[in-house]
Amino acid sequence: MIVDNALYRDGSRVATDLPAHDVAGLLARREPGDFVWLGLHEPSAEEMRAVADQFSLHPLAVEDAVTAHQRPKLDRYDDQLFVVLKTLWYVDEDDAVETGEIDVFVGADFVVCVRHGQGHDVRTVRLALEARASVLSHGPSAVLYVLCDSVVDAYGRVGDELQVDVDEVEGSVFSPERTNDSERIYTLKRELAEVRRAVLPLREPVRRMAAGEVYGVSGDTAPYFRDVCDHLERVAEVVDGLESLLAAAFEAHLARIQVQQNEDMRKISAGVALVAGPTLIAGVYGMNFDHMPELHWTFGYPLALLLMAVLSFGLYRSFKRSGWL
Protein backbone atom coordinates (compact mmCIF):
# COMPACT_ATOMS: atom_id res chain seq x y z
CA MET A 1 0.00 0.00 0.00
CA ILE A 2 1.08 3.60 -0.59
CA VAL A 3 2.09 5.19 2.70
CA ASP A 4 3.32 8.56 1.45
CA ASN A 5 3.85 10.57 -1.71
CA ALA A 6 5.36 14.00 -2.18
CA LEU A 7 6.31 16.48 -4.86
CA TYR A 8 9.64 18.30 -4.49
CA ARG A 9 10.69 21.55 -6.16
CA ASP A 10 14.00 23.39 -5.66
CA GLY A 11 14.90 21.34 -2.59
CA SER A 12 11.56 21.77 -0.82
CA ARG A 13 8.38 19.76 -0.51
CA VAL A 14 5.42 21.23 -2.37
CA ALA A 15 2.36 21.34 -0.16
CA THR A 16 -0.62 19.48 -1.66
CA ASP A 17 -3.99 18.38 -0.37
CA LEU A 18 -3.91 15.10 -2.33
CA PRO A 19 -4.40 11.74 -0.60
CA ALA A 20 -1.45 9.34 -0.61
CA HIS A 21 -3.01 7.03 -3.21
CA ASP A 22 -3.64 9.82 -5.77
CA VAL A 23 -0.44 9.33 -7.76
CA ALA A 24 -1.96 10.60 -11.02
CA GLY A 25 -3.00 13.87 -9.39
CA LEU A 26 0.50 14.36 -8.00
CA LEU A 27 2.12 13.71 -11.39
CA ALA A 28 -0.26 16.19 -12.99
CA ARG A 29 1.15 18.97 -10.77
CA ARG A 30 4.74 18.20 -11.66
CA GLU A 31 6.70 20.94 -13.43
CA PRO A 32 10.08 20.77 -15.20
CA GLY A 33 12.80 20.21 -12.60
CA ASP A 34 10.40 18.70 -10.04
CA PHE A 35 10.48 15.13 -8.87
CA VAL A 36 8.08 12.82 -7.06
CA TRP A 37 8.95 10.53 -4.17
CA LEU A 38 6.47 7.70 -3.66
CA GLY A 39 6.68 5.35 -0.68
CA LEU A 40 5.03 1.91 -0.48
CA HIS A 41 5.03 -0.74 2.23
CA GLU A 42 4.66 -4.39 1.21
CA PRO A 43 2.35 -3.66 -1.74
CA SER A 44 0.31 -6.36 -3.40
CA ALA A 45 0.97 -7.32 -7.00
CA GLU A 46 -2.06 -5.29 -8.13
CA GLU A 47 -0.96 -2.19 -6.22
CA MET A 48 2.56 -2.48 -7.59
CA ARG A 49 1.31 -2.90 -11.15
CA ALA A 50 -0.80 0.27 -10.83
CA VAL A 51 2.25 2.24 -9.70
CA ALA A 52 4.40 0.65 -12.41
CA ASP A 53 1.94 1.83 -15.07
CA GLN A 54 2.17 5.41 -13.78
CA PHE A 55 5.99 5.49 -13.89
CA SER A 56 6.64 2.97 -16.71
CA LEU A 57 8.69 0.72 -14.45
CA HIS A 58 10.39 -2.31 -15.95
CA PRO A 59 8.37 -5.52 -15.31
CA LEU A 60 11.41 -7.55 -14.17
CA ALA A 61 12.24 -4.94 -11.53
CA VAL A 62 8.58 -4.78 -10.50
CA GLU A 63 8.52 -8.55 -10.03
CA ASP A 64 11.61 -8.36 -7.81
CA ALA A 65 10.06 -5.56 -5.76
CA VAL A 66 6.88 -7.56 -5.13
CA THR A 67 8.48 -10.89 -4.25
CA ALA A 68 11.36 -9.29 -2.26
CA HIS A 69 14.10 -11.53 -0.76
CA GLN A 70 16.60 -10.16 -3.28
CA ARG A 71 20.32 -9.77 -2.69
CA PRO A 72 21.62 -6.16 -2.64
CA LYS A 73 22.22 -5.02 -6.20
CA LEU A 74 22.12 -2.17 -8.70
CA ASP A 75 20.40 -2.77 -12.04
CA ARG A 76 19.82 -0.37 -14.92
CA TYR A 77 16.75 -0.59 -17.11
CA ASP A 78 16.94 1.95 -19.96
CA ASP A 79 16.93 5.35 -18.22
CA GLN A 80 15.89 3.96 -14.81
CA LEU A 81 17.82 2.45 -11.91
CA PHE A 82 16.65 -0.34 -9.64
CA VAL A 83 18.51 -0.61 -6.31
CA VAL A 84 17.96 -3.29 -3.68
CA LEU A 85 19.05 -2.56 -0.10
CA LYS A 86 18.94 -5.06 2.75
CA THR A 87 17.85 -3.51 6.04
CA LEU A 88 19.11 -4.90 9.35
CA TRP A 89 18.18 -4.45 12.97
CA TYR A 90 19.28 -6.29 16.09
CA VAL A 91 17.16 -8.11 18.68
CA ASP A 92 19.44 -8.33 21.71
CA GLU A 93 17.27 -10.76 23.68
CA ASP A 94 17.68 -13.45 21.01
CA ASP A 95 21.15 -12.47 19.70
CA ALA A 96 19.34 -12.21 16.36
CA VAL A 97 19.84 -9.98 13.33
CA GLU A 98 16.49 -9.39 11.65
CA THR A 99 16.34 -8.42 7.99
CA GLY A 100 14.08 -6.42 5.73
CA GLU A 101 14.39 -4.92 2.29
CA ILE A 102 14.06 -1.61 0.49
CA ASP A 103 13.65 -1.63 -3.29
CA VAL A 104 14.26 1.74 -4.92
CA PHE A 105 13.27 2.76 -8.46
CA VAL A 106 15.10 5.90 -9.54
CA GLY A 107 14.18 7.89 -12.63
CA ALA A 108 15.00 11.34 -13.87
CA ASP A 109 12.03 12.87 -12.08
CA PHE A 110 10.79 10.26 -9.62
CA VAL A 111 11.75 7.87 -6.84
CA VAL A 112 9.58 4.90 -5.94
CA CYS A 113 10.55 3.28 -2.66
CA VAL A 114 9.14 -0.16 -1.76
CA ARG A 115 9.78 -1.32 1.79
CA HIS A 116 9.46 -4.85 3.19
CA GLY A 117 9.74 -5.55 6.91
CA GLN A 118 9.39 -3.34 9.96
CA GLY A 119 12.97 -2.52 10.89
CA HIS A 120 13.62 0.68 8.92
CA ASP A 121 11.58 3.86 9.24
CA VAL A 122 11.71 5.50 5.83
CA ARG A 123 9.41 8.29 7.04
CA THR A 124 12.10 9.44 9.48
CA VAL A 125 14.63 9.40 6.65
CA ARG A 126 12.28 11.47 4.49
CA LEU A 127 11.77 14.09 7.21
CA ALA A 128 15.52 14.32 7.82
CA LEU A 129 16.17 14.86 4.12
CA GLU A 130 13.45 17.48 3.83
CA ALA A 131 15.31 19.46 6.51
CA ARG A 132 18.44 19.49 4.29
CA ALA A 133 17.40 21.56 1.29
CA SER A 134 20.97 21.75 -0.05
CA VAL A 135 21.06 17.95 -0.36
CA LEU A 136 17.46 17.54 -1.49
CA SER A 137 18.07 19.97 -4.34
CA HIS A 138 20.13 17.25 -6.07
CA GLY A 139 16.88 15.47 -6.89
CA PRO A 140 16.29 11.71 -6.98
CA SER A 141 20.02 11.03 -6.48
CA ALA A 142 19.77 12.71 -3.08
CA VAL A 143 16.94 10.40 -2.09
CA LEU A 144 18.97 7.38 -3.11
CA TYR A 145 21.92 8.73 -1.11
CA VAL A 146 19.99 9.23 2.13
CA LEU A 147 18.38 5.81 1.84
CA CYS A 148 21.79 4.16 1.36
CA ASP A 149 23.27 6.26 4.17
CA SER A 150 20.53 5.42 6.65
CA VAL A 151 20.69 1.70 5.81
CA VAL A 152 24.48 1.61 6.20
CA ASP A 153 24.26 3.55 9.47
CA ALA A 154 21.91 0.82 10.71
CA TYR A 155 24.55 -1.74 9.71
CA GLY A 156 26.98 0.10 11.96
CA ARG A 157 24.58 -0.04 14.90
CA VAL A 158 24.09 -3.77 14.36
CA GLY A 159 27.86 -4.18 14.27
CA ASP A 160 28.18 -2.35 17.60
CA GLU A 161 25.57 -4.63 19.18
CA LEU A 162 27.33 -7.72 17.87
CA GLN A 163 30.64 -6.38 19.23
CA VAL A 164 29.12 -6.23 22.71
CA ASP A 165 27.88 -9.82 22.46
CA VAL A 166 31.21 -11.09 21.13
CA ASP A 167 32.97 -9.39 24.06
CA GLU A 168 30.57 -11.16 26.43
CA VAL A 169 31.34 -14.50 24.78
CA GLU A 170 35.08 -13.90 25.10
CA GLY A 171 34.69 -13.06 28.77
CA SER A 172 32.63 -16.19 29.33
CA VAL A 173 35.05 -18.48 27.45
CA PHE A 174 38.03 -17.32 29.52
CA SER A 175 36.21 -17.11 32.85
CA PRO A 176 37.28 -19.52 35.63
CA GLU A 177 33.81 -21.09 35.72
CA ARG A 178 32.72 -23.90 33.46
CA THR A 179 30.51 -22.54 30.70
CA ASN A 180 28.87 -23.90 27.58
CA ASP A 181 29.35 -21.17 24.98
CA SER A 182 29.37 -23.23 21.79
CA GLU A 183 25.67 -22.64 21.05
CA ARG A 184 25.92 -18.87 21.48
CA ILE A 185 29.11 -18.72 19.41
CA TYR A 186 27.34 -20.58 16.60
CA THR A 187 24.35 -18.24 16.86
CA LEU A 188 26.56 -15.16 16.61
CA LYS A 189 28.49 -16.61 13.66
CA ARG A 190 25.18 -17.22 11.89
CA GLU A 191 24.05 -13.64 12.54
CA LEU A 192 27.38 -12.29 11.31
CA ALA A 193 26.84 -14.26 8.11
CA GLU A 194 23.48 -12.49 7.78
CA VAL A 195 25.21 -9.11 8.10
CA ARG A 196 27.84 -10.18 5.57
CA ARG A 197 25.12 -11.09 3.04
CA ALA A 198 23.76 -7.56 3.35
CA VAL A 199 27.06 -5.67 3.39
CA LEU A 200 29.35 -7.33 0.86
CA PRO A 201 27.12 -7.24 -2.27
CA LEU A 202 26.39 -3.56 -1.63
CA ARG A 203 30.04 -2.48 -1.68
CA GLU A 204 30.47 -2.52 -5.46
CA PRO A 205 27.25 -0.57 -6.32
CA VAL A 206 28.09 2.11 -3.73
CA ARG A 207 31.68 2.30 -4.97
CA ARG A 208 30.42 2.84 -8.53
CA MET A 209 28.04 5.59 -7.41
CA ALA A 210 30.84 7.21 -5.40
CA ALA A 211 33.05 7.16 -8.49
CA GLY A 212 30.32 8.72 -10.65
CA GLU A 213 30.14 5.64 -12.87
CA VAL A 214 26.37 5.09 -12.63
CA TYR A 215 24.10 6.63 -15.24
CA GLY A 216 21.23 8.45 -13.58
CA VAL A 217 23.11 9.33 -10.38
CA SER A 218 24.13 12.96 -10.31
CA GLY A 219 27.87 13.55 -10.23
CA ASP A 220 27.28 16.24 -7.60
CA THR A 221 26.23 13.54 -5.14
CA ALA A 222 29.44 11.51 -5.58
CA PRO A 223 31.04 13.00 -2.40
CA TYR A 224 28.00 11.91 -0.40
CA PHE A 225 28.23 8.37 -1.75
CA ARG A 226 31.96 8.32 -0.93
CA ASP A 227 31.00 8.94 2.68
CA VAL A 228 28.55 6.01 2.50
CA CYS A 229 31.29 3.89 0.93
CA ASP A 230 33.66 4.68 3.82
CA HIS A 231 31.02 3.68 6.38
CA LEU A 232 30.28 0.49 4.48
CA GLU A 233 33.97 -0.46 4.40
CA ARG A 234 34.20 0.16 8.13
CA VAL A 235 31.25 -2.16 8.76
CA ALA A 236 32.82 -4.82 6.53
CA GLU A 237 36.04 -4.58 8.56
CA VAL A 238 34.08 -4.92 11.80
CA VAL A 239 32.33 -8.03 10.47
CA ASP A 240 35.66 -9.58 9.43
CA GLY A 241 37.17 -8.80 12.82
CA LEU A 242 34.23 -10.23 14.76
CA GLU A 243 34.27 -13.43 12.69
CA SER A 244 37.98 -13.86 13.47
CA LEU A 245 37.36 -13.26 17.18
CA LEU A 246 34.52 -15.78 17.25
CA ALA A 247 36.63 -18.37 15.45
CA ALA A 248 39.40 -17.86 18.02
CA ALA A 249 36.90 -17.96 20.89
CA PHE A 250 35.43 -21.21 19.58
CA GLU A 251 38.87 -22.81 19.35
CA ALA A 252 39.68 -21.60 22.86
CA HIS A 253 36.35 -22.99 24.08
CA LEU A 254 37.13 -26.41 22.59
CA ALA A 255 40.63 -26.31 24.09
CA ARG A 256 39.20 -25.51 27.53
CA ILE A 257 36.75 -28.37 27.22
CA GLN A 258 39.62 -30.74 26.45
CA VAL A 259 41.62 -29.41 29.41
CA GLN A 260 38.61 -29.79 31.69
CA GLN A 261 38.04 -33.34 30.46
CA ASN A 262 41.70 -34.18 31.12
CA GLU A 263 41.42 -32.77 34.62
CA ASP A 264 38.28 -34.82 35.22
CA MET A 265 39.98 -37.98 33.97
CA ARG A 266 42.96 -37.38 36.26
CA LYS A 267 40.68 -36.95 39.24
CA ILE A 268 38.74 -40.07 38.31
CA SER A 269 41.99 -42.00 37.87
CA ALA A 270 43.26 -40.74 41.22
CA GLY A 271 40.01 -41.77 42.88
CA VAL A 272 40.19 -45.23 41.33
CA ALA A 273 43.79 -45.61 42.52
CA LEU A 274 42.80 -44.60 46.06
CA VAL A 275 40.17 -47.34 46.10
CA ALA A 276 42.31 -49.93 44.28
CA GLY A 277 44.96 -50.21 47.06
CA PRO A 278 42.59 -51.11 49.90
CA THR A 279 40.61 -53.32 47.51
CA LEU A 280 43.77 -55.30 46.70
CA ILE A 281 44.56 -55.88 50.37
CA ALA A 282 40.96 -56.78 51.17
CA GLY A 283 40.87 -59.14 48.20
CA VAL A 284 44.01 -61.00 49.25
CA TYR A 285 42.97 -61.43 52.86
CA GLY A 286 39.42 -62.24 51.94
CA MET A 287 40.24 -65.50 50.11
CA ASN A 288 40.02 -67.56 53.35
CA PHE A 289 42.46 -70.33 52.45
CA ASP A 290 43.36 -72.59 55.42
CA HIS A 291 47.13 -72.18 55.06
CA MET A 292 47.30 -68.43 54.38
CA PRO A 293 49.91 -66.57 56.56
CA GLU A 294 48.51 -64.36 59.29
CA LEU A 295 44.99 -65.68 58.61
CA HIS A 296 44.56 -66.75 62.23
CA TRP A 297 46.93 -64.15 63.66
CA THR A 298 45.39 -62.02 66.41
CA PHE A 299 46.72 -58.74 64.93
CA GLY A 300 46.00 -59.59 61.29
CA TYR A 301 42.80 -57.55 61.06
CA PRO A 302 44.25 -54.34 62.58
CA LEU A 303 47.34 -54.73 60.39
CA ALA A 304 45.21 -55.02 57.24
CA LEU A 305 43.30 -51.86 58.16
CA LEU A 306 46.56 -50.06 58.90
CA LEU A 307 48.02 -51.08 55.54
CA MET A 308 44.89 -49.80 53.78
CA ALA A 309 45.07 -46.46 55.61
CA VAL A 310 48.80 -46.00 55.02
CA LEU A 311 48.52 -46.89 51.31
CA SER A 312 45.52 -44.61 50.77
CA PHE A 313 47.19 -41.72 52.59
CA GLY A 314 50.41 -42.15 50.61
CA LEU A 315 48.54 -42.17 47.29
CA TYR A 316 46.50 -39.14 48.33
CA ARG A 317 49.62 -37.13 49.20
CA SER A 318 51.28 -38.13 45.94
CA PHE A 319 48.25 -37.16 43.81
CA LYS A 320 47.84 -33.89 45.72
CA ARG A 321 51.45 -32.87 45.05
CA SER A 322 51.14 -33.67 41.33
CA GLY A 323 47.89 -31.71 40.98
CA TRP A 324 45.69 -34.66 40.20
CA LEU A 325 43.47 -33.91 43.17
Side-chain angles (χ1 to χ4, degrees):
M1 87 186 154
I2 300 176
V3 294
D4 196 5
N5 64 29
L7 178 65
Y8 295 94
R9 180 178 301 151
D10 298 326
S12 300
R13 181 167 181 162
V14 177
T16 64
D17 55 356
L18 298 175
H21 64 271
D22 190 0
V23 179
L26 193 67
L27 294 177
R29 301 189 181 189
R30 187 172 50 184
E31 297 179 1
D34 296 352
F35 76 94
V36 171
W37 183 358
L38 186 67
L40 300 93
H41 180 244
E42 298 181 356
S44 64
E46 293 76 13
E47 290 170 332
M48 195 65 218
R49 275 197 297 270
V51 172
D53 291 341
Q54 294 284 350
F55 294 96
S56 301
L57 303 180
H58 196 279
L60 291 178
V62 171
E63 181 182 354
D64 287 346
V66 172
T67 57
H69 303 294
Q70 308 296 315
R71 70 191 302 270
K73 62 180 180 178
L74 169 63
D75 291 334
R76 178 182 171 185
Y77 296 97
D78 298 326
D79 59 345
Q80 299 176 7
L81 296 177
F82 178 62
V83 181
V84 177
L85 304 171
K86 279 291 185 184
T87 58
L88 303 177
W89 65 98
Y90 195 65
V91 181
D92 189 50
E93 296 79 8
D94 303 324
D95 288 343
V97 176
E98 300 293 339
T99 63
E101 184 174 316
I102 297 178
D103 304 311
V104 188
F105 299 85
V106 182
D109 53 5
F110 70 87
V111 177
V112 176
C113 179
V114 181
R115 180 169 62 93
H116 297 270
Q118 303 294 331
H120 202 83
D121 188 1
V122 177
R123 177 173 174 77
T124 301
V125 175
R126 183 193 290 265
L127 293 175
L129 179 59
E130 289 175 354
R132 303 169 63 187
S134 60
V135 178
L136 187 57
S137 62
H138 293 294
S141 298
V143 177
L144 182 58
Y145 152 68
V146 295
L147 288 173
C148 291
D149 187 53
S150 64
V151 167
V152 172
D153 285 346
Y155 294 169
R157 291 191 292 272
V158 170
D160 292 339
E161 295 286 350
L162 287 169
Q163 178 71 67
V164 172
D165 286 344
V166 171
D167 290 342
E168 291 176 355
V169 167
E170 283 188 306
S172 178
V173 166
F174 294 103
S175 68
E177 289 126 17
R178 293 199 174 194
T179 57
N180 184 13
D181 300 300
S182 55
E183 182 177 351
R184 192 178 187 193
I185 290 174
Y186 174 77
T187 298
L188 289 174
K189 285 180 73 68
R190 183 186 62 201
E191 302 312 316
L192 280 171
E194 193 72 47
V195 177
R196 180 179 286 277
R197 283 192 290 270
V199 171
L200 296 191
L202 188 60
R203 295 166 76 179
E204 180 60 20
V206 173
R207 185 202 64 78
R208 290 174 56 201
M209 289 186 282
E213 299 174 358
V214 178
Y215 173 85
V217 176
S218 171
D220 295 336
T221 59
Y224 298 104
F225 282 106
R226 284 198 291 270
D227 182 63
V228 176
C229 190
D230 289 342
H231 293 172
L232 196 59
E233 291 295 332
R234 190 178 306 120
V235 174
E237 291 173 359
V238 168
V239 171
D240 290 339
L242 292 179
E243 287 184 335
S244 298
L245 287 174
L246 280 179
F250 187 65
E251 291 177 1
H253 176 64
L254 293 180
R256 287 204 65 190
I257 290 176
Q258 291 177 348
V259 170
Q260 291 167 356
Q261 288 175 341
N262 290 339
E263 290 177 352
D264 292 341
M265 287 304 299
R266 285 191 301 180
K267 291 178 180 179
I268 292 171
S269 300
V272 170
L274 287 174
V275 176
T279 302
L280 175 62
I281 297 172
V284 170
Y285 283 94
M287 290 186 290
N288 297 321
F289 291 121
D290 288 337
H291 300 290
M292 283 184 64
E294 296 92 23
L295 187 60
H296 300 289
W297 185 36
T298 303
F299 300 102
Y301 176 68
L303 179 61
L305 293 180
L306 180 61
L307 286 173
M308 293 180 187
V310 170
L311 182 58
S312 297
F313 180 73
L315 288 171
Y316 176 80
R317 288 292 300 274
S318 175
F319 291 142
K320 197 71 173 174
R321 281 196 300 268
S322 64
W324 282 41
L325 287 175

